[in-house]
Amino acid sequence: LQRAVCAAEAGRLETELQELLSEASRVVDSAYGGGLDTLEFLSAKKLADGSPSAVRLSTTLSSIRKSLDSQTSLASRGAQASLARQVPQVCPVFAGLHKVFFH
């Protein structure tokens, strides 16, 4: 996290900030769980100080969150589509129930 803060203060590229914050999020998630939520909690004081680097960090964290949310959404839709293909092969009754509950 400190490396990301330093990079933001030094005006490094957005891609570098994304890489550093993504890495920090993975480390925090492994240690404490919660991923980005925990990272934001741990860095709340810095994010709230109103400095240009805080704005850059906050913007980058939001960008990472949107990216993760879209990946999760795509994976979820892919899993549902896969299930929809598998269920009719198992039993027509279950296929009907699947349509009721998942569509």
Side-chain angles (χ1 to χ4, degrees):
L1 180 57
Q2 186 60 38
R3 290 175 57 206
V5 171
C6 290
E9 289 173 351
R12 304 296 295 188
L13 295 175
E14 179 82 14
T15 54
E16 184 176 352
L17 285 178
Q18 286 179 342
E19 289 172 12
L20 292 169
L21 287 170
S22 293
E23 179 184 350
S25 177
R26 285 189 297 274
V27 170
V28 165
D29 191 52
S30 294
Y32 307 109
L36 281 177
D37 292 331
T38 303
L39 182 63
E40 288 173 334
F41 176 79
L42 293 173
S43 57
K45 185 175 179 180
K46 175 60 184 169
L47 293 174
D49 76 8
S51 67
S53 61
V55 171
R56 291 190 71 212
L57 290 167
S58 181
T59 301
T60 305
L61 283 170
S62 294
S63 172
I64 293 169
R65 184 176 300 282
K66 286 178 187 174
S67 175
L68 289 174
D69 289 347
S70 68
Q71 288 174 7
T72 302
S73 177
L74 287 174
S76 175
R77 280 188 256 147
Q80 286 181 356
S82 174
L83 218 97
R85 287 189 301 274
Q86 293 172 11
V87 170
Q89 296 170 4
V90 175
C91 177
V93 173
F94 289 126
L97 288 174
H98 178 266
K99 288 181 182 177
V100 168
F101 289 109
F102 295 104
H103 293 280

